[in-house]
Amino acid sequence: MTKPIIDIRNLHVQYLTPNGPAEAVNDVSFAIQPGEVFGLAGESGCGKSTIAGAILRTLRAPAVITGGEILFEGRDILSMSSDQIEEFRWKHVAMVFQGAMNSLNPVITIGSQITDALHRHTTISKQDAWQRAGDLLETVGIERDRVTAYPHELSGGMRQRAVIAIAIALKPPLLIMDEPTTALDVVVQRDILQQISQLKEVLGLSILFITHDMSLLVEFCDRIGIMYGGQLVEMAPAQMIFKTPIHPYTQGLLSSFAPLKGPKVKLTGIPGSPPSLINAPHTCRFEPRCTVCNKAQCHDKPQMREVLPDHWVATHGGMPLPEGAKV
Amino acid sequence: MSEHEQEAELPILEVTNLSKHFSLGNWWKPAIFKAVNDVSFKLHKGEVLSVVGESGSGKSTLARLIARLSNPTEGRILLHGKDILAQEPRKASLAYRRQVQMIFQDPFGSLSPTHPIGYHIERPLQIHKLAQSKDLEREVATLLETVGLHPPADVAERYPFQMSGGQRQRVAIARALAVQPDIILADEPTSMLDVSIRMEVLNLIEKLKTERGIGFLYITHDLASARYVGDRTMVMYAGNVVEEGESCALMENPAHPYTQLLLASVPDPSSGLSTGETTAKAEGTRKPPNRDKGCPFASRCPMRMSICEEKMPRRTSLAANHFVRCHLHEADPPKPA
């Protein structure tokens, strides 16, 4: 096995609230290999974006990283000094934020927002920087002469592309995308995803892709991790998760999406609502909404185990496993 | 084409040639934006009609016109066969508002934060004089039960901030149901909800349709849910209805290039990303196409012919209840240029 580009081990993040600490990320471990697209899925408040924040060390109080380590090519991000992290961000890991179209500065041209990043992190001449800004826009499918455009002159999809151009300006090996296409139309969404997968091939990017849209994830990612209530509950290659989901939550999540083909079947979704993370139990957090497992055995602490080759599930005694699974 | 069985029955709502034009520009450079242009459809008892299209295609404006939140530029709205715009030209009557209810997209913004849930449901009952004050509490409880909020007495005392998005959207549905409407206009009721909760709201729509015979206009940009809950689907592009048909049949055999593009763009887990090569341009122009003549989709259409720039295609019937507005499907198709 090759050395992973990023290796997250037993990460814990808490939000300190007046009612007690909320465990937004609880003992999450996963690794992303070079050139891999790793998807993180789950409903709002399950801790997906908090993990992204932890990798970039952009979490601020009341969020506190209370344990674990994040190794980027072997270096621990969590123990870096603030100077080191400054130098590390963008050059090694860049991020495309949720609602990225609105993360551009409205009173500065697209070109100067790109050159800004270049000047901050490299010693590039002014002329070269603008040249490079034009190149970057072309890579993401925007005409070169739009460097002088202001964000409001671009459509939502183009702004999203511009943000991706800024993110890849310093050729970071890892790109984090937090719901990059949620606010866009399906047609534009497909177009941008095709662009991203081309970029991935050309630049050899690894991508951490965060979204709640399961069908999009399965189509776009190599491997998927499913999160629920701050914990990683299942992790497997995309097609495996889609075809043989094991955790009851993953099954519920997949049955929340209506298919476009075939006969109409009644879907149920997942009854109930997501758990509160304050003083969350250490037993299976999905238990109150679960209709699958044997309730008598739900009170063991779930353990992340490789039940099928490369298919990891947080299981406990009461969870039914498919045939051929390692018990 | 033979008359479909349903055609014999009088539809609850019939909309003909409905348009809403907004004036843009200024005195010396006037311009018109056609948000909704020449839309006609029928909605029957116990039927869900899905309206799909990208943002800015006029879906929500259409719902607002039918709810009489704004007045159309031209066209007719027939409710139970009565021409509403002729009878009540300025403002909708109380009776109309009782029959046509609306559910909004954002359950976080559509409930007043200063009043408990019970109040939100009592108000329509009082305004429309549908319940005596001694029966109010019981009525509210029944309504909350109907939308699956338990226990009703407890829920009625809660404030919106104490409830999740899915629960709030159900309160909004209960409020719409309070006045026993014939039609509910649901404007993207699930887009602000968490994925796991969306299905509950869709199944509730399904249940109300069958049990109470309410007609729904379900507006969405999610084609899969349009197919799941909608008996028929209407595809809108730049204010125009470009295709309409039975949901399953339409998504099986999309006739309009825009519908084909939309369907090809929906993520499909069973195939990889590469298979979805789209032929039409994702973003043709920065401004919405809004020309006086020709097909609005012409600039993005991969099958464009010279006639498309000249003339707006007519409604062509492909099969029973399947219409398309595209020159490709007209009776005497002109040769591609």
Coordinates of all heavy atoms in Angstrom, one line a residue, chain A residues 77-139:
Chain A
I77 N -0.2 17.9 11.3 CA -0.7 19.2 11.1 C -1.0 19.9 12.5 O -0.8 21.0 12.7 CB -2.0 19.2 10.2 CG1 -1.6 18.7 8.9 CG2 -2.6 20.5 10.2 CD1 -2.8 18.5 7.9
L78 N -1.5 19.0 13.4 CA -2.0 19.6 14.6 C -0.9 20.1 15.5 O -1.1 21.0 16.4 CB -2.8 18.5 15.4 CG -4.1 18.0 14.7 CD1 -4.8 17.1 15.5 CD2 -5.0 19.2 14.2
S79 N 0.4 19.7 15.3 CA 1.4 20.2 16.1 C 2.2 21.3 15.4 O 3.3 21.7 16.0 CB 2.3 19.0 16.5 OG 2.9 18.5 15.4
M80 N 1.8 21.8 14.3 CA 2.5 22.8 13.6 C 2.4 24.2 14.3 O 1.3 24.4 14.9 CB 2.0 23.0 12.2 CG 2.5 21.9 11.2 SD 1.8 22.3 9.6 CE 2.3 20.8 8.7
S81 N 3.4 25.0 14.2 CA 3.2 26.4 14.7 C 2.4 27.2 13.8 O 2.2 26.8 12.6 CB 4.6 27.0 14.9 OG 5.2 27.2 13.6
S82 N 2.0 28.4 14.2 CA 1.1 29.2 13.3 C 1.8 29.6 12.1 O 1.2 29.8 11.0 CB 0.5 30.3 14.1 OG 1.6 31.1 14.6
D83 N 3.2 29.8 12.1 CA 3.9 30.2 10.9 C 3.9 29.0 9.9 O 3.7 29.2 8.7 CB 5.4 30.6 11.3 CG 5.4 31.9 11.9 OD1 4.4 32.6 11.8 OD2 6.5 32.3 12.4
Q84 N 4.2 27.8 10.5 CA 4.2 26.7 9.7 C 2.9 26.4 9.0 O 2.8 26.0 7.8 CB 4.6 25.4 10.5 CG 6.1 25.4 10.8 CD 6.4 24.2 11.8 OE1 5.6 24.1 12.8 NE2 7.4 23.5 11.5
I85 N 1.8 26.6 9.8 CA 0.5 26.3 9.2 C 0.1 27.3 8.1 O -0.5 27.0 7.1 CB -0.6 26.3 10.3 CG1 -1.9 25.5 9.8 CG2 -1.1 27.6 10.8 CD1 -1.7 24.0 10.0
E86 N 0.5 28.6 8.3 CA 0.3 29.6 7.3 C 0.9 29.2 6.0 O 0.4 29.3 4.9 CB 1.0 30.9 7.8 CG 0.6 32.1 7.1 CD -0.4 32.9 7.8 OE1 -1.3 32.3 8.5 OE2 -0.3 34.1 7.8
E87 N 2.1 28.7 6.1 CA 2.9 28.2 4.9 C 2.3 27.0 4.3 O 2.3 26.8 3.1 CB 4.4 28.1 5.4 CG 5.2 26.9 4.9 CD 5.8 27.2 3.5 OE1 6.0 28.4 3.2 OE2 6.0 26.2 2.8
F88 N 1.7 26.2 5.2 CA 1.2 24.9 4.7 C -0.2 25.0 4.0 O -0.4 24.4 2.9 CB 1.0 24.0 6.0 CG 0.1 22.8 5.8 CD1 0.6 21.7 5.3 CD2 -1.2 22.8 6.2 CE1 -0.2 20.5 5.1 CE2 -2.0 21.7 6.0 CZ -1.5 20.6 5.5
R89 N -1.0 25.9 4.5 CA -2.3 26.1 3.9 C -2.2 26.6 2.4 O -1.3 27.4 2.2 CB -3.1 27.1 4.6 CG -3.8 26.6 5.8 CD -4.7 27.7 6.4 NE -4.8 27.5 7.8 CZ -4.8 28.5 8.7 NH1 -4.6 29.7 8.4 NH2 -5.0 28.2 10.0
W90 N -3.1 26.2 1.6 CA -3.1 26.6 0.2 C -2.0 26.0 -0.6 O -2.3 25.5 -1.7 CB -3.0 28.1 0.0 CG -3.9 28.7 -1.0 CD1 -4.1 28.1 -2.2 CD2 -4.7 29.8 -1.0 NE1 -5.0 28.9 -2.9 CE2 -5.4 29.9 -2.2 CE3 -4.9 30.8 0.0 CZ2 -6.3 31.0 -2.5 CZ3 -5.8 31.9 -0.3 CH2 -6.4 31.9 -1.5
K91 N -0.8 25.9 -0.1 CA 0.3 25.3 -0.9 C 0.1 23.8 -0.9 O 0.4 23.1 -1.9 CB 1.6 25.7 -0.3 CG 2.6 26.1 -1.3 CD 3.9 26.6 -0.7 CE 4.8 27.2 -1.7 NZ 5.9 27.8 -1.1
H92 N -0.3 23.2 0.2 CA -0.4 21.8 0.3 C -1.9 21.3 0.4 O -2.2 20.3 -0.2 CB 0.3 21.3 1.6 CG 1.7 21.6 1.6 ND1 2.6 20.8 0.9 CD2 2.5 22.6 2.1 CE1 3.8 21.4 1.0 NE2 3.8 22.4 1.7
V93 N -2.7 22.1 1.0 CA -4.1 21.8 1.1 C -4.9 23.0 0.8 O -4.7 24.1 1.4 CB -4.6 21.2 2.5 CG1 -6.1 20.9 2.4 CG2 -3.8 20.0 2.9
A94 N -5.8 23.0 -0.2 CA -6.7 24.2 -0.5 C -8.1 23.7 -0.3 O -8.4 22.6 -0.4 CB -6.4 24.7 -1.9
M95 N -9.0 24.7 -0.1 CA -10.4 24.4 0.1 C -11.3 25.2 -0.7 O -11.1 26.4 -0.9 CB -10.7 24.6 1.6 CG -12.1 24.3 2.0 SD -12.2 23.7 3.7 CE -14.0 23.6 3.9
V96 N -12.3 24.5 -1.2 CA -13.4 25.2 -1.9 C -14.6 25.1 -0.9 O -15.1 24.1 -0.6 CB -13.8 24.5 -3.2 CG1 -15.0 25.2 -3.8 CG2 -12.6 24.5 -4.1
F97 N -15.1 26.3 -0.5 CA -16.1 26.3 0.6 C -17.5 26.1 0.1 O -17.8 26.3 -1.1 CB -16.0 27.6 1.4 CG -14.8 27.7 2.2 CD1 -13.7 28.3 1.8 CD2 -14.9 27.2 3.5 CE1 -12.6 28.4 2.6 CE2 -13.7 27.3 4.3 CZ -12.6 27.9 3.9
Q98 N -18.3 25.8 1.0 CA -19.8 25.7 0.8 C -20.3 27.1 0.3 O -19.9 28.1 0.9 CB -20.4 25.3 2.1 CG -21.8 24.9 2.0 CD -22.3 24.2 3.3 OE1 -21.5 24.2 4.2 NE2 -23.5 23.7 3.3
G99 N -21.1 27.1 -0.7 CA -21.6 28.4 -1.2 C -20.5 29.3 -1.7 O -20.4 30.4 -1.4
A100 N -19.5 28.6 -2.4 CA -18.3 29.3 -2.7 C -18.5 30.5 -3.6 O -17.7 31.4 -3.6 CB -17.4 28.3 -3.4
M101 N -19.7 30.5 -4.3 CA -19.9 31.6 -5.2 C -20.0 32.9 -4.4 O -19.7 34.0 -5.0 CB -21.2 31.5 -6.0 CG -21.4 30.2 -6.6 SD -22.6 29.3 -5.7 CE -24.1 29.8 -6.4
N102 N -20.3 32.8 -3.2 CA -20.5 34.0 -2.4 C -19.2 34.3 -1.6 O -19.2 35.2 -0.7 CB -21.7 33.9 -1.5 CG -22.9 33.6 -2.3 OD1 -23.0 34.1 -3.4 ND2 -23.8 32.8 -1.8
S103 N -18.2 33.4 -1.7 CA -17.0 33.7 -1.0 C -16.0 34.5 -1.7 O -14.9 34.8 -1.2 CB -16.3 32.3 -0.5 OG -16.0 31.6 -1.7
L104 N -16.3 35.0 -2.9 CA -15.4 36.0 -3.6 C -15.7 37.4 -3.1 O -16.8 37.7 -2.7 CB -15.7 35.9 -5.1 CG -15.3 34.6 -5.8 CD1 -15.9 34.6 -7.2 CD2 -13.8 34.6 -5.9
N105 N -14.7 38.2 -3.0 CA -14.8 39.6 -2.6 C -15.5 40.3 -3.8 O -15.0 40.4 -4.9 CB -13.4 40.2 -2.4 CG -13.5 41.5 -1.8 OD1 -14.5 42.3 -2.0 ND2 -12.5 41.9 -1.0
P106 N -16.7 40.9 -3.5 CA -17.4 41.6 -4.6 C -16.8 42.8 -5.2 O -17.2 43.2 -6.3 CB -18.8 41.9 -3.9 CG -18.5 42.0 -2.5 CD -17.4 41.0 -2.2
V107 N -15.9 43.5 -4.5 CA -15.3 44.7 -5.0 C -14.0 44.6 -5.6 O -13.3 45.6 -5.9 CB -15.4 45.8 -3.9 CG1 -16.8 46.1 -3.5 CG2 -14.6 45.4 -2.7
I108 N -13.5 43.4 -5.8 CA -12.1 43.2 -6.3 C -12.3 42.2 -7.6 O -13.1 41.3 -7.5 CB -11.2 42.5 -5.3 CG1 -11.0 43.4 -4.1 CG2 -9.8 42.2 -5.9 CD1 -10.2 42.8 -3.0
T109 N -11.6 42.5 -8.6 CA -11.7 41.7 -9.8 C -11.2 40.3 -9.5 O -10.4 40.0 -8.6 CB -10.9 42.2 -11.0 OG1 -9.5 42.3 -10.6 CG2 -11.4 43.6 -11.4
I110 N -11.7 39.3 -10.4 CA -11.3 37.9 -10.2 C -9.8 37.8 -10.3 O -9.2 37.1 -9.5 CB -12.0 37.1 -11.4 CG1 -13.5 37.2 -11.3 CG2 -11.5 35.6 -11.3 CD1 -14.1 36.6 -10.1
G111 N -9.2 38.5 -11.3 CA -7.8 38.4 -11.5 C -7.0 38.8 -10.3 O -6.1 38.1 -9.9
S112 N -7.4 39.9 -9.6 CA -6.6 40.3 -8.5 C -6.8 39.4 -7.3 O -5.9 39.2 -6.5 CB -6.8 41.7 -8.1 OG -8.2 42.0 -8.1
Q113 N -7.9 38.7 -7.3 CA -8.1 37.7 -6.2 C -7.2 36.5 -6.4 O -6.8 35.9 -5.4 CB -9.6 37.3 -6.1 CG -10.4 38.5 -5.8 CD -11.9 38.1 -5.3 OE1 -12.1 37.2 -4.6 NE2 -12.8 38.9 -5.9
I114 N -7.0 36.1 -7.6 CA -6.1 35.0 -7.9 C -4.6 35.4 -7.7 O -3.9 34.7 -7.0 CB -6.2 34.5 -9.4 CG1 -7.7 34.1 -9.6 CG2 -5.3 33.3 -9.6 CD1 -8.0 33.6 -11.0
T115 N -4.2 36.6 -8.2 CA -2.8 37.0 -8.0 C -2.5 37.3 -6.6 O -1.4 37.1 -6.1 CB -2.6 38.3 -8.8 OG1 -3.6 39.3 -8.5 CG2 -2.5 38.1 -10.3
D116 N -3.5 37.7 -5.8 CA -3.3 37.9 -4.4 C -2.8 36.6 -3.7 O -1.8 36.7 -3.0 CB -4.7 38.2 -3.8 CG -4.6 38.9 -2.5 OD1 -3.5 39.5 -2.2 OD2 -5.6 38.9 -1.7
A117 N -3.4 35.5 -4.0 CA -3.0 34.2 -3.5 C -1.6 33.9 -3.9 O -0.7 33.4 -3.2 CB -3.9 33.1 -3.9
L118 N -1.3 34.2 -5.2 CA 0.0 33.9 -5.8 C 1.1 34.7 -5.1 O 2.2 34.2 -4.7 CB 0.1 34.1 -7.3 CG -0.8 33.2 -8.1 CD1 -0.9 33.7 -9.5 CD2 -0.2 31.8 -8.1
H119 N 0.9 36.0 -4.9 CA 1.9 36.8 -4.3 C 2.1 36.5 -2.8 O 3.2 36.5 -2.3 CB 1.4 38.3 -4.4 CG 1.5 38.9 -5.8 ND1 2.7 38.8 -6.5 CD2 0.7 39.5 -6.6 CE1 2.6 39.4 -7.6 NE2 1.3 39.8 -7.7
R120 N 1.0 36.1 -2.2 CA 1.1 35.8 -0.7 C 2.0 34.6 -0.5 O 2.8 34.5 0.5 CB -0.3 35.5 -0.2 CG -0.4 35.2 1.2 CD -0.4 36.5 2.0 NE -0.4 36.3 3.5 CZ 0.6 35.8 4.2 NH1 1.7 35.5 3.6 NH2 0.5 35.6 5.5
H121 N 2.0 33.6 -1.4 CA 2.7 32.3 -1.1 C 3.9 32.1 -2.0 O 4.6 31.2 -1.7 CB 1.7 31.2 -1.3 CG 0.7 31.1 -0.2 ND1 0.8 30.4 0.9 CD2 -0.5 31.7 -0.2 CE1 -0.3 30.5 1.7 NE2 -1.1 31.3 1.0
T122 N 4.1 32.9 -3.0 CA 5.3 32.7 -3.9 C 5.9 34.0 -4.2 O 5.4 35.1 -3.9 CB 4.9 32.0 -5.2 OG1 3.9 32.9 -5.8 CG2 4.3 30.6 -5.1
T123 N 7.1 33.9 -4.7 CA 7.8 35.2 -5.2 C 7.7 35.3 -6.7 O 8.6 35.0 -7.4 CB 9.3 35.2 -4.7 OG1 9.8 33.9 -5.2 CG2 9.4 35.3 -3.3
I124 N 6.6 35.6 -7.2 CA 6.3 35.7 -8.6 C 6.2 37.1 -9.0 O 5.7 38.0 -8.2 CB 5.0 34.9 -8.9 CG1 4.8 34.7 -10.4 CG2 3.8 35.5 -8.2 CD1 3.6 33.7 -10.7
S125 N 6.6 37.5 -10.2 CA 6.5 38.9 -10.6 C 5.1 39.2 -10.9 O 4.3 38.3 -11.2 CB 7.4 39.2 -11.8 OG 6.8 38.6 -12.9
K126 N 4.8 40.5 -10.9 CA 3.4 40.9 -11.1 C 2.9 40.5 -12.4 O 1.8 39.9 -12.5 CB 3.3 42.5 -11.0 CG 2.1 43.0 -10.4 CD 2.2 44.5 -10.1 CE 0.9 45.0 -9.6 NZ 1.0 46.5 -9.4
Q127 N 3.7 40.6 -13.4 CA 3.3 40.3 -14.8 C 3.0 38.8 -14.9 O 2.0 38.3 -15.5 CB 4.4 40.7 -15.8 CG 3.9 40.9 -17.2 CD 5.0 41.2 -18.1 OE1 6.2 41.4 -17.7 NE2 4.7 41.3 -19.4
D128 N 3.9 38.0 -14.4 CA 3.8 36.5 -14.4 C 2.5 36.1 -13.7 O 1.8 35.2 -14.1 CB 5.0 35.8 -13.8 CG 6.2 35.9 -14.7 OD1 6.0 36.4 -15.8 OD2 7.3 35.6 -14.2
A129 N 2.3 36.8 -12.5 CA 1.1 36.4 -11.7 C -0.2 36.6 -12.6 O -1.1 35.7 -12.6 CB 1.0 37.2 -10.5
W130 N -0.3 37.7 -13.3 CA -1.5 38.0 -14.1 C -1.6 37.0 -15.2 O -2.7 36.5 -15.6 CB -1.5 39.4 -14.6 CG -2.1 40.3 -13.5 CD1 -1.3 40.9 -12.5 CD2 -3.4 40.6 -13.2 NE1 -2.1 41.6 -11.7 CE2 -3.4 41.5 -12.1 CE3 -4.6 40.3 -13.8 CZ2 -4.6 42.0 -11.5 CZ3 -5.8 40.9 -13.3 CH2 -5.8 41.7 -12.2
Q131 N -0.4 36.7 -15.8 CA -0.3 35.7 -16.8 C -0.9 34.3 -16.3 O -1.8 33.7 -16.9 CB 1.1 35.5 -17.3 CG 1.4 34.6 -18.4 CD 0.8 35.2 -19.7 OE1 0.7 36.4 -19.9 NE2 0.4 34.3 -20.7
R132 N -0.4 34.0 -15.1 CA -0.8 32.7 -14.5 C -2.3 32.8 -14.2 O -3.0 31.7 -14.3 CB 0.0 32.5 -13.3 CG -0.3 31.3 -12.4 CD 0.7 30.2 -12.5 NE 0.4 29.1 -11.6 CZ -0.4 28.1 -12.0 NH1 -0.9 28.1 -13.2 NH2 -0.7 27.2 -11.2
A133 N -2.8 33.9 -13.7 CA -4.3 34.0 -13.4 C -5.1 33.7 -14.7 O -6.1 33.0 -14.6 CB -4.6 35.4 -12.9
G134 N -4.7 34.2 -15.8 CA -5.4 34.0 -17.1 C -5.3 32.5 -17.4 O -6.3 31.9 -17.8
D135 N -4.1 31.9 -17.2 CA -4.0 30.4 -17.5 C -5.0 29.6 -16.6 O -5.6 28.7 -17.1 CB -2.6 29.9 -17.1 CG -1.5 30.6 -18.0 OD1 -1.9 31.1 -19.1 OD2 -0.3 30.5 -17.7
L136 N -5.0 30.0 -15.3 CA -5.9 29.3 -14.4 C -7.3 29.4 -14.8 O -8.0 28.4 -14.7 CB -5.7 29.8 -13.0 CG -4.4 29.4 -12.2 CD1 -4.2 30.2 -11.0 CD2 -4.6 27.9 -11.8
L137 N -7.8 30.5 -15.2 CA -9.2 30.7 -15.6 C -9.4 29.8 -16.8 O -10.5 29.1 -16.9 CB -9.5 32.1 -15.9 CG -9.7 33.1 -14.7 CD1 -10.2 34.4 -15.2 CD2 -10.7 32.5 -13.7
E138 N -8.4 29.7 -17.7 CA -8.6 28.9 -18.9 C -8.7 27.4 -18.5 O -9.5 26.6 -19.1 CB -7.5 29.1 -19.9 CG -7.8 30.1 -20.9 CD -6.7 30.3 -21.9 OE1 -5.6 29.7 -21.8 OE2 -6.9 31.2 -22.8
T139 N -7.9 27.0 -17.5 CA -8.0 25.6 -17.0 C -9.4 25.2 -16.5 O -9.8 24.1 -16.7 CB -7.0 25.3 -15.9 OG1 -6.2 26.4 -15.7 CG2 -6.2 24.1 -16.0

